[in-house]
């Protein structure tokens, strides 16, 4: 016979007695200190005496503290103390319901919610997903506990009350905007901690760690986009989602792993491609790709060969993607003529009175005005076709497989737009064929390494020579010269304008960067015929 001992013979106790009949109990009797009746077999203090006769018991007491106290006493005494769930209640299979908890008529407990022991979820109440109701609490009639809430032990949620999510402290979160972003993408309730990540000049990037059975795991990359630079965040994210979703299909057809070989973008909980914080700054999120590494500088020649192969393959994969559908999120980004015009305007204004400190660098740029139009003119004449280009093809925008050392995934797709193959090629060379970092203050350490240039040419043309036109192949050395010159101009322009674009660590930082680029340009000019010969050798 299935029998139940109920502590408390008041109105709530009789509701549980009635529920017991619906749940298949053939007998349900009471212990109560005040009520008398045929089905009251003793006082509450007699509970130990009935453990053999009634091995199953619950504490049906309306007072939260007393219900919790007696639930724990019954468990300590060896009773089986079940959760009592009304047949009309709706309980998610992933929800956890503790011992001695009561879920009454038409109550709802949703996905991944935890209800501890000795809790009362009253008739019509809703506890939404990913919430936590601590022991001895009472969620009242027709009340609503919204998603991601924490209800404290012994708390009473009044009838009809709506409880909204309360945020928890997350280690590493020092601003409300970062916290808002974590919650916008759904990480707030579970996130273990966050910390700064990467070495980019433009955006603010964080590593997001989530708990697993094995410990905290680096799971996501959360990034605040600099909308002083990217003034059309919706367009940026439309480009990125479009290209990465397209690449997933291409990679799958190639037999690759789309979860590792392209970025996987995540939408907000409301389905948006990005989240806008209280300051109007956009945030976006990607899955982190584990077992991958990123290099700030070429450490082994093979890495630069892999870089050429990776960016070449990237261009080839997007060969059939409609370049015209991409938003031009930074107009004239690699229009070197317009960059020169921006430079001369900044020089004329000289709003920080810095021109006197960089006369040599200014003269270097002015002497190369005619060079700036070489590729732009060919594009305007239709000699060089527009392609889907990355437009920021530095070595550190490639993830390498940590085990094989092979190029794995192209990242940092903010500037993916229509452009010239020569521009992507050239930006890789100006960054990767240099013997020092772009902000090296000792110019004696900065040189153009033509052997690294040759390795990149080999990797790039192996991936693209059946895609690029002969004119595009001939334009590649010019791409190296002009992208390096353009980058130097941009650093120098920003220096003259007061460092509003690139992150700087000290007042002369952008000027130092400009000087390294101009050193590379000078050495490329000296070896330009050799650069052209190398390209022709690998056609």
């Amino acid at each position: 016979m299935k029998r139940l001992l109920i502590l408390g013979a008041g109105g709530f106790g009789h509701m549980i007695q009635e529920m017991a009949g619906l749940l298949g109990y053939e007998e349900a009797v009471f212990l109560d200190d005040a009520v008398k009746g045929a089905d009251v077999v003793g006082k509450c203090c007699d509970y130990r005496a009935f453990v053999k006769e009634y091995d199953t018991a619950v504490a049906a007491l309306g007072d939260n503290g007393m219900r919790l106290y007696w639930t724990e006493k019954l468990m300590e005494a060896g009773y089986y103390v079940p959760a009592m769930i009304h047949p009309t209640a709706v309980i998610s299979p992933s929800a956890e319901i503790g011992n001695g908890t009561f879920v009454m008529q038409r109550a709802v407990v949703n996905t991944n919610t935890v209800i501890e022991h000795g809790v009362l979820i009253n008739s019509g109440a809703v506890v939404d997903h990913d919430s936590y109701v601590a022991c001895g609490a009472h969620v009242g009639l027709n009340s609503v506990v919204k998603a991601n809430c924490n209800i404290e032990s012994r708390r009473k949620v009044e009838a009809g009350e709506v409880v909204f999510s309360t945020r928890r402290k997350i280690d590493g979160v020092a601003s409300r905007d970062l916290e808002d972003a974590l919650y916008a993408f759904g990480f707030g309730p579970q996130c273990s901690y966050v910390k700064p990540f990467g070495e980019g000049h433009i955006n603010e990037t964080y590593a997001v760690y989530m708990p697993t059975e094995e410990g905290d795991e680096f799971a996501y990359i959360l990034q605040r986009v600099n909308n002083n630079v990217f003034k059309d965040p919706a367009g940026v994210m439309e480009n990125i989602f479009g290209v990465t979703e397209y690449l997933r299909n291409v990679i799958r057809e190639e037999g690759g792993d789309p979860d590792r070989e392209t970025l996987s973008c995540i939408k907000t909980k409301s389905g948006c491609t990005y989240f806008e914080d209280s300051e109007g700054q956009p945030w976006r999120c990607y899955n982190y790709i584990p077992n991958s590494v990123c290099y700030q500088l070429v450490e082994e020649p093979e890495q630069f060969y892999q870089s050429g192969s990776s960016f070449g393959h990237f261009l080839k994969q997007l060969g059939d993607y409609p370049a015209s559908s991409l938003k031009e999120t930074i107009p004239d980004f690699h229009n070197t003529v317009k960059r020169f015009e921006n430079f001369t305007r900044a020089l004329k204004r000289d709003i920080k009175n810095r021109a006197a400190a960089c006369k040599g660098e200014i003269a270097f740029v002015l002497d190369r005005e005619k060079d700036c139009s070489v590729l732009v003119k060919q594009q305007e004449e239709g000699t060089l076709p527009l392609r889907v280009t990355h437009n920021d093809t530095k070595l550190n925008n490639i993830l390498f497989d940590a085990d094989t050392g092979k190029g794995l995934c192209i990242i940092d797709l903010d500037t993916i737009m229509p452009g010239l193959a020569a521009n992507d090629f050239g930006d890789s060379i100006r960054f990767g064929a240099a013997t020092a970092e772009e902000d090296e203050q000792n110019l004696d350490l900065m040189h153009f390494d033509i052997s690294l240039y040759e390795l990149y040419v080999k990797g790039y043309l192996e991936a693209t020579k059946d895609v690029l036109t002969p004119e595009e192949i001939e334009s590649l050395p010019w791409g190296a010269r002009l992208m390096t010159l353009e980058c130097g101009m941009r650093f120098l322009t920003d220096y003259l304008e007061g460092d509003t674009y690139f992150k700087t660590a000290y007042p002369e930082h952008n000027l130092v960067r400009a000087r390294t680029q101009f050193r590379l340009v000078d050495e490329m000019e000296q070896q330009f015929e050799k650069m052209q010969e190398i390209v022709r050798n690998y056609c």
Side-chain angles (χ1 to χ4, degrees):
M1 178 183 291
K2 192 175 180 183
R3 311 168 82 191
L4 178 67
L5 181 66
I6 304 171
L7 272 68
F12 180 43
H14 280 89
M15 290 174 66
I16 300 307
Q17 186 185 50
E18 184 179 277
M19 185 195 297
L22 296 174
L23 295 175
Y25 289 92
E26 298 168 67
E27 180 183 353
V29 298
F30 296 102
L31 297 180
D32 194 281
D33 291 346
V35 177
K36 295 182 179 180
D39 52 2
V40 178
V41 296
K43 294 183 177 295
C44 291
C45 62
D46 299 329
Y47 71 101
R48 293 184 185 276
F50 291 91
V51 71
K52 292 182 179 179
E53 188 175 354
Y54 299 92
D55 62 349
T56 302
V58 293
L61 302 164
D63 181 86
N64 289 349
M66 292 301 292
R67 184 175 63 255
L68 177 59
Y69 172 83
W70 281 109
T71 296
E72 292 177 348
K73 283 290 186 183
L74 292 172
M75 289 192 291
E76 290 170 4
Y79 282 98
Y80 169 55
V81 183
M84 302 288 289
I85 300 173
H86 196 277
T88 63
V90 178
I91 309 295
S92 165
S94 63
E96 298 179 23
I97 310 295
N99 294 337
T101 282
F102 303 96
V103 185
M104 305 304 290
Q105 296 95 325
R106 301 189 183 281
V108 176
V109 179
N110 266 331
T111 308
N112 294 324
T113 283
V114 175
I115 312 293
E116 288 194 337
H117 62 277
V119 172
L120 170 56
I121 308 297
N122 222 324
S123 302
V126 175
V127 184
D128 208 356
H129 67 84
D130 296 289
S131 287
Y132 193 97
V133 182
C135 57
H138 176 188
V139 180
L141 295 162
N142 292 313
S143 61
V144 177
V145 176
K146 301 200 78 174
N148 301 305
C149 284
N150 285 289
I151 304 300
E152 300 86 356
S153 177
R154 299 179 177 84
R155 175 179 171 182
K156 183 177 181 182
V157 177
E158 297 293 342
E161 181 180 353
V162 178
V163 179
F164 292 87
S165 174
T166 53
R167 293 185 176 179
R168 48 189 281 275
K169 176 176 170 50
I170 303 171
D171 289 341
V173 175
S175 75
R176 181 58 185 254
D177 288 335
L178 174 55
E179 181 183 89
D180 287 345
L182 287 166
Y183 275 89
F185 285 99
F187 307 142
Q190 292 87 30
C191 178
S192 298
Y193 63 94
V194 300
K195 64 181 183 181
F197 180 76
E199 301 183 33
H201 293 330
I202 307 298
N203 300 319
E204 183 181 316
T205 308
Y206 297 89
V208 179
Y209 288 78
M210 303 294 284
T212 69
E213 292 182 359
E214 291 75 34
D216 293 330
E217 177 183 82
F218 184 1
Y220 305 102
I221 292 174
L222 184 64
Q223 192 169 60
R224 178 154 69 170
V225 180
N226 185 339
N227 63 359
N228 291 321
V229 177
F230 301 104
K231 300 182 185 301
D232 179 16
V236 169
M237 295 312 299
E238 182 181 331
N239 285 353
I240 292 173
F241 269 86
V243 165
T244 54
E245 289 174 1
Y246 177 87
L247 283 172
R248 289 184 68 85
N249 290 327
V250 173
I251 292 165
R252 195 174 286 111
E253 289 172 1
E254 293 175 342
D257 182 351
D259 290 331
R260 287 181 59 75
E261 296 175 33
T262 188
L263 293 175
S264 295
C265 308
I266 298 172
K267 291 184 178 180
T268 67
K269 291 178 67 179
S270 60
C272 297
T273 57
Y274 68 97
F275 163 72
E276 189 172 287
D277 65 23
S278 63
E279 299 175 24
Q281 294 282 334
W283 293 76
R284 41 79 178 308
C285 186
Y286 305 104
N287 282 308
Y288 171 67
I289 299 175
N291 202 38
S292 63
V293 294
C294 183
Y295 300 103
Q296 296 303 314
L297 199 64
V298 175
E299 298 175 6
E300 299 289 340
E302 173 67 14
Q303 293 165 358
F304 204 40
Y305 167 80
Q306 289 294 330
S307 173
S309 178
S310 295
F311 279 119
H313 187 57
F314 183 75
L315 181 139
K316 184 175 182 178
Q317 286 177 316
L318 293 169
D320 292 329
Y321 191 90
S324 60
S325 70
L326 293 172
K327 301 288 192 299
E328 191 177 5
T329 52
I330 304 180
D332 297 313
F333 185 63
H334 277 322
N335 186 323
T336 315
V337 173
K338 293 289 181 67
R339 293 293 186 182
F340 183 85
E341 292 172 358
N342 293 342
F343 162 74
T344 56
R345 183 172 59 251
L347 175 60
K348 182 178 180 179
R349 298 177 69 190
D350 193 20
I351 59 175
K352 295 295 182 178
N353 294 318
R354 289 177 167 181
C358 51
K359 291 180 179 179
E361 291 76 21
I362 291 169
F364 188 93
V365 175
L366 294 175
D367 288 344
R368 287 158 178 79
E369 179 179 3
K370 291 183 179 179
D371 288 353
C372 294
S373 64
V374 170
L375 294 180
V376 173
K377 185 178 180 181
Q378 291 183 66
Q379 176 190 327
E380 291 173 346
E381 293 173 346
T383 304
L384 299 177
L386 285 178
R387 297 187 178 275
V388 177
T389 48
H390 185 279
N391 294 297
D392 192 17
T393 51
K394 300 190 295 288
L395 180 71
N396 59 5
N397 282 333
I398 302 175
L399 295 181
F400 290 80
D401 188 287
D403 294 330
T404 66
K406 304 290 185 183
L408 179 64
C409 176
I410 304 298
I411 62 173
D412 198 357
L413 304 179
D414 289 329
T415 53
I416 196 156
M417 290 181 287
L420 300 180
N423 292 341
D424 269 7
F425 173 88
D427 206 27
S428 287
I429 296 302
R430 76 105 195 152
F431 184 86
T435 59
E437 296 191 43
E438 63 184 16
D439 57 1
E440 174 57 58
Q441 297 187 42
N442 183 356
L443 284 180
D444 291 338
L445 300 178
M446 175 59 83
H447 298 288
F448 170 57
D449 188 333
I450 199 163
S451 64
L452 288 175
Y453 169 85
E454 183 168 1
L455 277 175
Y456 190 92
V457 168
K458 181 176 184 293
Y460 188 79
L461 288 181
E462 284 176 353
T464 62
K465 65 181 179 183
D466 58 341
V467 176
L468 298 179
T469 67
E471 292 80 9
E472 286 179 292
I473 293 172
E474 283 291 319
S475 73
L476 297 181
W478 270 109
R481 267 177 70 171
L482 292 179
M483 286 303 96
T484 310
L485 176 63
E486 180 186 292
C487 188
M489 278 197 296
R490 291 174 62 196
F491 285 139
L492 189 56
T493 300
D494 202 31
Y495 175 71
L496 293 170
E497 292 179 337
D499 309 315
T500 61
Y501 186 95
F502 297 104
K503 290 181 182 178
T504 55
Y506 51 91
E508 297 79 22
H509 201 166
N510 273 323
L511 179 57
V512 167
R513 290 166 170 157
R515 286 170 176 161
T516 63
Q517 301 310 292
F518 297 156
R519 166 60 64 89
L520 292 174
V521 172
D522 180 61
E523 294 192 359
M524 288 179 188
E525 291 172 347
Q526 294 175 41
Q527 303 180 74
F528 195 61
E529 290 184 4
K530 179 66 174 175
M531 292 169 65
Q532 293 175 312
E533 181 185 335
I534 288 170
V535 167
R536 293 175 188 133
N537 288 342
Y538 285 97
C539 289

